Amino acid sequence: VMRRNPFGMDICCRKGSRSPLQELYNPTQVSLSNTAILHQIRRDQVTDTCRATSVSSRKRRVLTPNDLKHLVVDEDHEMIYCYVPKVACTNWKRVMMVLTGRGKYSDPMEIPANEAHVSSNLKTLNQYSIPEINHRLKNYMKFLFVREPFERLVSAYRNKFTQKYNTSFHKRYGTKIVRRQRKNATQEALRKGDDVKFEEFVAYLIDPHTQREEPFNEHWQTVYSLCHPCHIHYDLIGKYETLEEDSNYVLQLAGVGNYLKFPTYAKSTRTTDEMTTEFFQNISSLHQMQLYEVYKLDFLMFNYSVPSYLKLE
């Protein structure tokens, strides 16, 4: 018997079956209901943090289309995924391409990484009209993945500033960081910007001038600013620390868990907690404190404790 591609048009579109949103809040399977409790706790944590901080922020701002460019829409499975760079977002984009490709792709890992980042391969929420946006925000299951903020930051630094091939980042940000943070920089360093030290990167991030000048690059922007969890109610918050379980839970809710698994492979170059600790050794306690303030909402909202290596006086 020929097996039909499970992502063929006949199965892809969920009409008549339960939506991921229904399955999340009223699970039909016991295995799903235990996990649902964990995600309720994570949602409550976000809600409580938003409530506690909104008192201090004057008024709720209205989201603009530009705020929605990180939200990837899967019409067929009624899901919206907010991607956060350095939190398995390449693999999640690959999975979204399989889910939305209507049979064009079946194995996420066969999709080249650079193709996963081509914006025309996935549809984002800012491409819809306002009524369509509101309808999807209300009826689709919205999820995102988060990671310990400083581990994510070190991962971004290592990827963008210590790899020789990232010349566009060196030119765009490295030269600026060297010019602003390094006394007596050589002409070559000012021209290339390819030897930024982590201490200089941190100094650049906490510099008020940087924050006034332009929004952070998405690789080190806060999750709070990329995904707007106080304005958009996320139904599911996955964590990098439990990536496999949380990702496969999303796929189960979408009704595709039987034939699509989240790609797992341990990257030997992955940024770890120990590595992050090492990077912070040379950061002064004043700079550590200022940096913590920049990322504080991400720590609180997603329930990450203050790292033990920080020298917060």
Side-chain angles (χ1 to χ4, degrees), residues 119-150:
S119 55
S120 58
N121 282 333
L122 290 166
K123 196 161 184 189
T124 48
L125 196 58
N126 58 344
Q127 296 170 307
Y128 293 85
S129 70
I130 288 173
E132 289 172 330
I133 289 172
N134 289 333
H135 170 78
R136 281 159 184 74
L137 285 175
K138 191 172 159 216
N139 297 293
Y140 286 17
M141 183 178 84
K142 299 163 295 299
F143 68 98
L144 79 166
F145 276 76
V146 299
R147 182 178 187 177
E148 202 280 340
F150 285 170

PDB file of all heavy atoms in Angstrom, residues 119-150:
ATOM      1  N   SER A 119      12.648  34.986   4.525  1.00  0.00           N
ATOM      2  CA  SER A 119      11.366  35.435   5.080  1.00  0.00           C
ATOM      3  C   SER A 119      10.165  35.016   4.239  1.00  0.00           C
ATOM      4  O   SER A 119       9.090  34.758   4.772  1.00  0.00           O
ATOM      5  CB  SER A 119      11.372  36.942   5.282  1.00  0.00           C
ATOM      6  OG  SER A 119      11.693  37.582   4.062  1.00  0.00           O
ATOM      7  N   SER A 120      10.337  34.887   2.914  1.00  0.00           N
ATOM      8  CA  SER A 120       9.180  34.537   2.080  1.00  0.00           C
ATOM      9  C   SER A 120       8.748  33.076   2.249  1.00  0.00           C
ATOM     10  O   SER A 120       7.686  32.678   1.771  1.00  0.00           O
ATOM     11  CB  SER A 120       9.495  34.812   0.612  1.00  0.00           C
ATOM     12  OG  SER A 120      10.643  34.076   0.228  1.00  0.00           O
ATOM     13  N   ASN A 121       9.557  32.265   2.952  1.00  0.00           N
ATOM     14  CA  ASN A 121       9.193  30.854   3.141  1.00  0.00           C
ATOM     15  C   ASN A 121       8.146  30.646   4.228  1.00  0.00           C
ATOM     16  O   ASN A 121       7.584  29.560   4.350  1.00  0.00           O
ATOM     17  CB  ASN A 121      10.432  30.017   3.458  1.00  0.00           C
ATOM     18  CG  ASN A 121      11.235  29.733   2.199  1.00  0.00           C
ATOM     19  OD1 ASN A 121      10.680  29.707   1.100  1.00  0.00           O
ATOM     20  ND2 ASN A 121      12.535  29.542   2.343  1.00  0.00           N
ATOM     21  N   LEU A 122       7.936  31.668   5.045  1.00  0.00           N
ATOM     22  CA  LEU A 122       6.948  31.552   6.122  1.00  0.00           C
ATOM     23  C   LEU A 122       6.112  32.830   6.141  1.00  0.00           C
ATOM     24  O   LEU A 122       6.615  33.905   5.843  1.00  0.00           O
ATOM     25  CB  LEU A 122       7.661  31.373   7.469  1.00  0.00           C
ATOM     26  CG  LEU A 122       8.378  30.026   7.675  1.00  0.00           C
ATOM     27  CD1 LEU A 122       9.322  30.108   8.862  1.00  0.00           C
ATOM     28  CD2 LEU A 122       7.380  28.881   7.867  1.00  0.00           C
ATOM     29  N   LYS A 123       4.859  32.698   6.523  1.00  0.00           N
ATOM     30  CA  LYS A 123       3.993  33.871   6.567  1.00  0.00           C
ATOM     31  C   LYS A 123       3.936  34.415   7.997  1.00  0.00           C
ATOM     32  O   LYS A 123       3.743  33.649   8.938  1.00  0.00           O
ATOM     33  CB  LYS A 123       2.590  33.495   6.086  1.00  0.00           C
ATOM     34  CG  LYS A 123       1.761  34.718   5.750  1.00  0.00           C
ATOM     35  CD  LYS A 123       0.572  34.401   4.858  1.00  0.00           C
ATOM     36  CE  LYS A 123      -0.136  35.704   4.488  1.00  0.00           C
ATOM     37  NZ  LYS A 123      -1.413  35.496   3.805  1.00  0.00           N
ATOM     38  N   THR A 124       4.129  35.706   8.139  1.00  0.00           N
ATOM     39  CA  THR A 124       4.090  36.300   9.484  1.00  0.00           C
ATOM     40  C   THR A 124       2.815  37.124   9.663  1.00  0.00           C
ATOM     41  O   THR A 124       2.187  37.552   8.688  1.00  0.00           O
ATOM     42  CB  THR A 124       5.335  37.169   9.745  1.00  0.00           C
ATOM     43  OG1 THR A 124       5.540  38.037   8.626  1.00  0.00           O
ATOM     44  CG2 THR A 124       6.572  36.303   9.943  1.00  0.00           C
ATOM     45  N   LEU A 125       2.460  37.334  10.922  1.00  0.00           N
ATOM     46  CA  LEU A 125       1.162  37.933  11.258  1.00  0.00           C
ATOM     47  C   LEU A 125       1.005  39.357  10.721  1.00  0.00           C
ATOM     48  O   LEU A 125      -0.103  39.807  10.452  1.00  0.00           O
ATOM     49  CB  LEU A 125       0.983  37.904  12.785  1.00  0.00           C
ATOM     50  CG  LEU A 125      -0.419  38.125  13.323  1.00  0.00           C
ATOM     51  CD1 LEU A 125      -1.415  37.104  12.785  1.00  0.00           C
ATOM     52  CD2 LEU A 125      -0.421  38.090  14.849  1.00  0.00           C
ATOM     53  N   ASN A 126       2.121  40.062  10.545  1.00  0.00           N
ATOM     54  CA  ASN A 126       2.019  41.448  10.068  1.00  0.00           C
ATOM     55  C   ASN A 126       1.592  41.541   8.603  1.00  0.00           C
ATOM     56  O   ASN A 126       1.366  42.621   8.092  1.00  0.00           O
ATOM     57  CB  ASN A 126       3.342  42.193  10.282  1.00  0.00           C
ATOM     58  CG  ASN A 126       4.508  41.530   9.579  1.00  0.00           C
ATOM     59  OD1 ASN A 126       4.432  40.370   9.169  1.00  0.00           O
ATOM     60  ND2 ASN A 126       5.596  42.263   9.430  1.00  0.00           N
ATOM     61  N   GLN A 127       1.466  40.388   7.926  1.00  0.00           N
ATOM     62  CA  GLN A 127       1.053  40.401   6.517  1.00  0.00           C
ATOM     63  C   GLN A 127      -0.471  40.330   6.356  1.00  0.00           C
ATOM     64  O   GLN A 127      -0.967  40.289   5.239  1.00  0.00           O
ATOM     65  CB  GLN A 127       1.714  39.224   5.773  1.00  0.00           C
ATOM     66  CG  GLN A 127       3.236  39.343   5.730  1.00  0.00           C
ATOM     67  CD  GLN A 127       3.898  38.071   5.219  1.00  0.00           C
ATOM     68  OE1 GLN A 127       3.650  36.976   5.724  1.00  0.00           O
ATOM     69  NE2 GLN A 127       4.730  38.198   4.215  1.00  0.00           N
ATOM     70  N   TYR A 128      -1.190  40.318   7.470  1.00  0.00           N
ATOM     71  CA  TYR A 128      -2.646  40.214   7.418  1.00  0.00           C
ATOM     72  C   TYR A 128      -3.303  41.566   7.712  1.00  0.00           C
ATOM     73  O   TYR A 128      -2.664  42.459   8.258  1.00  0.00           O
ATOM     74  CB  TYR A 128      -3.138  39.201   8.462  1.00  0.00           C
ATOM     75  CG  TYR A 128      -2.734  37.771   8.191  1.00  0.00           C
ATOM     76  CD1 TYR A 128      -1.504  37.279   8.595  1.00  0.00           C
ATOM     77  CD2 TYR A 128      -3.606  36.904   7.534  1.00  0.00           C
ATOM     78  CE1 TYR A 128      -1.130  35.958   8.360  1.00  0.00           C
ATOM     79  CE2 TYR A 128      -3.256  35.580   7.291  1.00  0.00           C
ATOM     80  CZ  TYR A 128      -2.014  35.111   7.701  1.00  0.00           C
ATOM     81  OH  TYR A 128      -1.661  33.814   7.462  1.00  0.00           O
ATOM     82  N   SER A 129      -4.591  41.649   7.390  1.00  0.00           N
ATOM     83  CA  SER A 129      -5.348  42.859   7.739  1.00  0.00           C
ATOM     84  C   SER A 129      -5.638  42.845   9.243  1.00  0.00           C
ATOM     85  O   SER A 129      -5.556  41.786   9.879  1.00  0.00           O
ATOM     86  CB  SER A 129      -6.675  42.875   6.981  1.00  0.00           C
ATOM     87  OG  SER A 129      -7.527  41.864   7.501  1.00  0.00           O
ATOM     88  N   ILE A 130      -6.050  43.970   9.790  1.00  0.00           N
ATOM     89  CA  ILE A 130      -6.280  44.049  11.238  1.00  0.00           C
ATOM     90  C   ILE A 130      -7.378  43.080  11.699  1.00  0.00           C
ATOM     91  O   ILE A 130      -7.181  42.352  12.668  1.00  0.00           O
ATOM     92  CB  ILE A 130      -6.519  45.513  11.689  1.00  0.00           C
ATOM     93  CG1 ILE A 130      -5.180  46.244  11.592  1.00  0.00           C
ATOM     94  CG2 ILE A 130      -7.050  45.573  13.129  1.00  0.00           C
ATOM     95  CD1 ILE A 130      -5.200  47.706  11.832  1.00  0.00           C
ATOM     96  N   PRO A 131      -8.532  42.985  11.002  1.00  0.00           N
ATOM     97  CA  PRO A 131      -9.531  41.983  11.431  1.00  0.00           C
ATOM     98  C   PRO A 131      -8.976  40.555  11.384  1.00  0.00           C
ATOM     99  O   PRO A 131      -9.261  39.741  12.263  1.00  0.00           O
ATOM    100  CB  PRO A 131     -10.669  42.154  10.419  1.00  0.00           C
ATOM    101  CG  PRO A 131     -10.499  43.522   9.859  1.00  0.00           C
ATOM    102  CD  PRO A 131      -9.036  43.826   9.889  1.00  0.00           C
ATOM    103  N   GLU A 132      -8.175  40.255  10.349  1.00  0.00           N
ATOM    104  CA  GLU A 132      -7.590  38.915  10.228  1.00  0.00           C
ATOM    105  C   GLU A 132      -6.593  38.652  11.356  1.00  0.00           C
ATOM    106  O   GLU A 132      -6.519  37.546  11.892  1.00  0.00           O
ATOM    107  CB  GLU A 132      -6.878  38.761   8.877  1.00  0.00           C
ATOM    108  CG  GLU A 132      -7.806  38.679   7.678  1.00  0.00           C
ATOM    109  CD  GLU A 132      -7.044  38.718   6.346  1.00  0.00           C
ATOM    110  OE1 GLU A 132      -5.963  39.326   6.263  1.00  0.00           O
ATOM    111  OE2 GLU A 132      -7.555  38.121   5.390  1.00  0.00           O
ATOM    112  N   ILE A 133      -5.819  39.684  11.705  1.00  0.00           N
ATOM    113  CA  ILE A 133      -4.846  39.559  12.807  1.00  0.00           C
ATOM    114  C   ILE A 133      -5.596  39.240  14.106  1.00  0.00           C
ATOM    115  O   ILE A 133      -5.264  38.300  14.823  1.00  0.00           O
ATOM    116  CB  ILE A 133      -4.015  40.858  12.970  1.00  0.00           C
ATOM    117  CG1 ILE A 133      -3.043  41.006  11.802  1.00  0.00           C
ATOM    118  CG2 ILE A 133      -3.265  40.868  14.314  1.00  0.00           C
ATOM    119  CD1 ILE A 133      -2.318  42.350  11.753  1.00  0.00           C
ATOM    120  N   ASN A 134      -6.631  40.033  14.373  1.00  0.00           N
ATOM    121  CA  ASN A 134      -7.397  39.836  15.618  1.00  0.00           C
ATOM    122  C   ASN A 134      -8.046  38.465  15.677  1.00  0.00           C
ATOM    123  O   ASN A 134      -8.045  37.814  16.718  1.00  0.00           O
ATOM    124  CB  ASN A 134      -8.450  40.940  15.771  1.00  0.00           C
ATOM    125  CG  ASN A 134      -7.789  42.277  16.091  1.00  0.00           C
ATOM    126  OD1 ASN A 134      -6.690  42.311  16.669  1.00  0.00           O
ATOM    127  ND2 ASN A 134      -8.412  43.368  15.697  1.00  0.00           N
ATOM    128  N   HIS A 135      -8.561  38.012  14.553  1.00  0.00           N
ATOM    129  CA  HIS A 135      -9.194  36.692  14.501  1.00  0.00           C
ATOM    130  C   HIS A 135      -8.174  35.600  14.856  1.00  0.00           C
ATOM    131  O   HIS A 135      -8.465  34.693  15.646  1.00  0.00           O
ATOM    132  CB  HIS A 135      -9.784  36.434  13.108  1.00  0.00           C
ATOM    133  CG  HIS A 135     -10.230  35.014  12.918  1.00  0.00           C
ATOM    134  ND1 HIS A 135     -11.413  34.534  13.438  1.00  0.00           N
ATOM    135  CD2 HIS A 135      -9.621  33.949  12.306  1.00  0.00           C
ATOM    136  CE1 HIS A 135     -11.525  33.241  13.146  1.00  0.00           C
ATOM    137  NE2 HIS A 135     -10.456  32.856  12.457  1.00  0.00           N
ATOM    138  N   ARG A 136      -6.979  35.706  14.294  1.00  0.00           N
ATOM    139  CA  ARG A 136      -5.954  34.681  14.537  1.00  0.00           C
ATOM    140  C   ARG A 136      -5.420  34.739  15.972  1.00  0.00           C
ATOM    141  O   ARG A 136      -5.193  33.694  16.590  1.00  0.00           O
ATOM    142  CB  ARG A 136      -4.835  34.818  13.503  1.00  0.00           C
ATOM    143  CG  ARG A 136      -5.241  34.209  12.160  1.00  0.00           C
ATOM    144  CD  ARG A 136      -4.450  34.727  10.969  1.00  0.00           C
ATOM    145  NE  ARG A 136      -4.994  34.151   9.725  1.00  0.00           N
ATOM    146  CZ  ARG A 136      -6.155  34.528   9.168  1.00  0.00           C
ATOM    147  NH1 ARG A 136      -6.895  35.485   9.743  1.00  0.00           N
ATOM    148  NH2 ARG A 136      -6.591  33.955   8.054  1.00  0.00           N
ATOM    149  N   LEU A 137      -5.255  35.932  16.468  1.00  0.00           N
ATOM    150  CA  LEU A 137      -4.774  36.050  17.848  1.00  0.00           C
ATOM    151  C   LEU A 137      -5.774  35.447  18.824  1.00  0.00           C
ATOM    152  O   LEU A 137      -5.403  34.923  19.867  1.00  0.00           O
ATOM    153  CB  LEU A 137      -4.506  37.521  18.206  1.00  0.00           C
ATOM    154  CG  LEU A 137      -3.227  38.131  17.611  1.00  0.00           C
ATOM    155  CD1 LEU A 137      -3.137  39.614  17.932  1.00  0.00           C
ATOM    156  CD2 LEU A 137      -1.969  37.418  18.114  1.00  0.00           C
ATOM    157  N   LYS A 138      -7.034  35.527  18.466  1.00  0.00           N
ATOM    158  CA  LYS A 138      -8.072  35.016  19.364  1.00  0.00           C
ATOM    159  C   LYS A 138      -8.254  33.499  19.233  1.00  0.00           C
ATOM    160  O   LYS A 138      -8.493  32.804  20.216  1.00  0.00           O
ATOM    161  CB  LYS A 138      -9.385  35.736  19.034  1.00  0.00           C
ATOM    162  CG  LYS A 138     -10.483  35.498  20.045  1.00  0.00           C
ATOM    163  CD  LYS A 138     -11.678  36.395  19.770  1.00  0.00           C
ATOM    164  CE  LYS A 138     -12.905  35.788  20.430  1.00  0.00           C
ATOM    165  NZ  LYS A 138     -14.116  35.973  19.657  1.00  0.00           N
ATOM    166  N   ASN A 139      -8.140  32.968  18.016  1.00  0.00           N
ATOM    167  CA  ASN A 139      -8.524  31.579  17.774  1.00  0.00           C
ATOM    168  C   ASN A 139      -7.383  30.590  17.561  1.00  0.00           C
ATOM    169  O   ASN A 139      -7.603  29.390  17.564  1.00  0.00           O
ATOM    170  CB  ASN A 139      -9.467  31.510  16.566  1.00  0.00           C
ATOM    171  CG  ASN A 139     -10.758  32.261  16.837  1.00  0.00           C
ATOM    172  OD1 ASN A 139     -11.541  31.844  17.675  1.00  0.00           O
ATOM    173  ND2 ASN A 139     -10.964  33.378  16.162  1.00  0.00           N
ATOM    174  N   TYR A 140      -6.170  31.082  17.352  1.00  0.00           N
ATOM    175  CA  TYR A 140      -5.047  30.179  17.107  1.00  0.00           C
ATOM    176  C   TYR A 140      -4.254  29.961  18.392  1.00  0.00           C
ATOM    177  O   TYR A 140      -4.236  30.825  19.273  1.00  0.00           O
ATOM    178  CB  TYR A 140      -4.112  30.763  16.034  1.00  0.00           C
ATOM    179  CG  TYR A 140      -4.637  30.699  14.619  1.00  0.00           C
ATOM    180  CD1 TYR A 140      -5.998  30.487  14.343  1.00  0.00           C
ATOM    181  CD2 TYR A 140      -3.778  30.876  13.539  1.00  0.00           C
ATOM    182  CE1 TYR A 140      -6.474  30.438  13.039  1.00  0.00           C
ATOM    183  CE2 TYR A 140      -4.241  30.841  12.226  1.00  0.00           C
ATOM    184  CZ  TYR A 140      -5.592  30.622  11.974  1.00  0.00           C
ATOM    185  OH  TYR A 140      -6.050  30.583  10.684  1.00  0.00           O
ATOM    186  N   MET A 141      -3.596  28.828  18.479  1.00  0.00           N
ATOM    187  CA  MET A 141      -2.737  28.584  19.642  1.00  0.00           C
ATOM    188  C   MET A 141      -1.412  29.315  19.432  1.00  0.00           C
ATOM    189  O   MET A 141      -0.720  29.106  18.440  1.00  0.00           O
ATOM    190  CB  MET A 141      -2.467  27.088  19.817  1.00  0.00           C
ATOM    191  CG  MET A 141      -1.639  26.812  21.077  1.00  0.00           C
ATOM    192  SD  MET A 141      -1.347  25.056  21.363  1.00  0.00           S
ATOM    193  CE  MET A 141       0.089  24.781  20.321  1.00  0.00           C
ATOM    194  N   LYS A 142      -1.066  30.169  20.387  1.00  0.00           N
ATOM    195  CA  LYS A 142       0.144  30.987  20.261  1.00  0.00           C
ATOM    196  C   LYS A 142       1.224  30.440  21.197  1.00  0.00           C
ATOM    197  O   LYS A 142       0.944  30.194  22.365  1.00  0.00           O
ATOM    198  CB  LYS A 142      -0.174  32.446  20.601  1.00  0.00           C
ATOM    199  CG  LYS A 142      -1.218  33.040  19.665  1.00  0.00           C
ATOM    200  CD  LYS A 142      -1.850  34.296  20.188  1.00  0.00           C
ATOM    201  CE  LYS A 142      -2.669  34.120  21.455  1.00  0.00           C
ATOM    202  NZ  LYS A 142      -3.818  33.210  21.309  1.00  0.00           N
ATOM    203  N   PHE A 143       2.423  30.237  20.651  1.00  0.00           N
ATOM    204  CA  PHE A 143       3.496  29.697  21.491  1.00  0.00           C
ATOM    205  C   PHE A 143       4.839  30.338  21.171  1.00  0.00           C
ATOM    206  O   PHE A 143       5.023  30.923  20.104  1.00  0.00           O
ATOM    207  CB  PHE A 143       3.568  28.165  21.358  1.00  0.00           C
ATOM    208  CG  PHE A 143       4.033  27.652  20.014  1.00  0.00           C
ATOM    209  CD1 PHE A 143       5.362  27.283  19.820  1.00  0.00           C
ATOM    210  CD2 PHE A 143       3.146  27.518  18.951  1.00  0.00           C
ATOM    211  CE1 PHE A 143       5.789  26.796  18.590  1.00  0.00           C
ATOM    212  CE2 PHE A 143       3.563  27.020  17.728  1.00  0.00           C
ATOM    213  CZ  PHE A 143       4.900  26.666  17.537  1.00  0.00           C
ATOM    214  N   LEU A 144       5.746  30.263  22.128  1.00  0.00           N
ATOM    215  CA  LEU A 144       7.112  30.750  21.933  1.00  0.00           C
ATOM    216  C   LEU A 144       8.056  29.899  22.766  1.00  0.00           C
ATOM    217  O   LEU A 144       7.611  29.144  23.633  1.00  0.00           O
ATOM    218  CB  LEU A 144       7.239  32.229  22.310  1.00  0.00           C
ATOM    219  CG  LEU A 144       7.352  32.607  23.786  1.00  0.00           C
ATOM    220  CD1 LEU A 144       7.818  34.047  23.923  1.00  0.00           C
ATOM    221  CD2 LEU A 144       6.032  32.475  24.511  1.00  0.00           C
ATOM    222  N   PHE A 145       9.346  30.017  22.478  1.00  0.00           N
ATOM    223  CA  PHE A 145      10.357  29.298  23.251  1.00  0.00           C
ATOM    224  C   PHE A 145      11.330  30.300  23.842  1.00  0.00           C
ATOM    225  O   PHE A 145      11.732  31.254  23.173  1.00  0.00           O
ATOM    226  CB  PHE A 145      11.090  28.263  22.371  1.00  0.00           C
ATOM    227  CG  PHE A 145      10.335  26.976  22.275  1.00  0.00           C
ATOM    228  CD1 PHE A 145       9.213  26.867  21.474  1.00  0.00           C
ATOM    229  CD2 PHE A 145      10.716  25.880  23.047  1.00  0.00           C
ATOM    230  CE1 PHE A 145       8.478  25.688  21.416  1.00  0.00           C
ATOM    231  CE2 PHE A 145       9.989  24.694  23.000  1.00  0.00           C
ATOM    232  CZ  PHE A 145       8.875  24.600  22.185  1.00  0.00           C
ATOM    233  N   VAL A 146      11.684  30.082  25.111  1.00  0.00           N
ATOM    234  CA  VAL A 146      12.565  31.015  25.815  1.00  0.00           C
ATOM    235  C   VAL A 146      13.791  30.278  26.343  1.00  0.00           C
ATOM    236  O   VAL A 146      13.820  29.045  26.380  1.00  0.00           O
ATOM    237  CB  VAL A 146      11.819  31.720  26.973  1.00  0.00           C
ATOM    238  CG1 VAL A 146      10.642  32.526  26.443  1.00  0.00           C
ATOM    239  CG2 VAL A 146      11.341  30.721  28.025  1.00  0.00           C
ATOM    240  N   ARG A 147      14.767  31.055  26.774  1.00  0.00           N
ATOM    241  CA  ARG A 147      16.034  30.483  27.248  1.00  0.00           C
ATOM    242  C   ARG A 147      16.582  31.396  28.331  1.00  0.00           C
ATOM    243  O   ARG A 147      16.259  32.586  28.368  1.00  0.00           O
ATOM    244  CB  ARG A 147      17.002  30.446  26.057  1.00  0.00           C
ATOM    245  CG  ARG A 147      18.361  29.828  26.346  1.00  0.00           C
ATOM    246  CD  ARG A 147      19.192  29.818  25.065  1.00  0.00           C
ATOM    247  NE  ARG A 147      20.443  29.092  25.218  1.00  0.00           N
ATOM    248  CZ  ARG A 147      21.310  28.889  24.234  1.00  0.00           C
ATOM    249  NH1 ARG A 147      21.058  29.380  23.023  1.00  0.00           N
ATOM    250  NH2 ARG A 147      22.423  28.209  24.444  1.00  0.00           N
ATOM    251  N   GLU A 148      17.401  30.852  29.210  1.00  0.00           N
ATOM    252  CA  GLU A 148      18.029  31.669  30.257  1.00  0.00           C
ATOM    253  C   GLU A 148      18.672  32.879  29.563  1.00  0.00           C
ATOM    254  O   GLU A 148      19.485  32.717  28.650  1.00  0.00           O
ATOM    255  CB  GLU A 148      19.076  30.814  30.989  1.00  0.00           C
ATOM    256  CG  GLU A 148      19.427  31.314  32.380  1.00  0.00           C
ATOM    257  CD  GLU A 148      20.424  32.474  32.402  1.00  0.00           C
ATOM    258  OE1 GLU A 148      21.146  32.686  31.422  1.00  0.00           O
ATOM    259  OE2 GLU A 148      20.469  33.157  33.419  1.00  0.00           O
ATOM    260  N   PRO A 149      18.284  34.113  29.970  1.00  0.00           N
ATOM    261  CA  PRO A 149      18.658  35.298  29.195  1.00  0.00           C
ATOM    262  C   PRO A 149      20.162  35.490  28.952  1.00  0.00           C
ATOM    263  O   PRO A 149      20.563  35.869  27.850  1.00  0.00           O
ATOM    264  CB  PRO A 149      18.082  36.458  30.012  1.00  0.00           C
ATOM    265  CG  PRO A 149      16.935  35.854  30.744  1.00  0.00           C
ATOM    266  CD  PRO A 149      17.351  34.450  31.068  1.00  0.00           C
ATOM    267  N   PHE A 150      20.987  35.237  29.975  1.00  0.00           N
ATOM    268  CA  PHE A 150      22.427  35.480  29.783  1.00  0.00           C
ATOM    269  C   PHE A 150      23.083  34.367  28.958  1.00  0.00           C
ATOM    270  O   PHE A 150      24.047  34.603  28.243  1.00  0.00           O
ATOM    271  CB  PHE A 150      23.134  35.666  31.126  1.00  0.00           C
ATOM    272  CG  PHE A 150      22.862  37.021  31.741  1.00  0.00           C
ATOM    273  CD1 PHE A 150      23.245  37.301  33.056  1.00  0.00           C
ATOM    274  CD2 PHE A 150      22.231  38.022  31.019  1.00  0.00           C
ATOM    275  CE1 PHE A 150      23.006  38.555  33.620  1.00  0.00           C
ATOM    276  CE2 PHE A 150      21.979  39.279  31.581  1.00  0.00           C
ATOM    277  CZ  PHE A 150      22.369  39.545  32.885  1.00  0.00           C
TER     278      PHE A 150
END
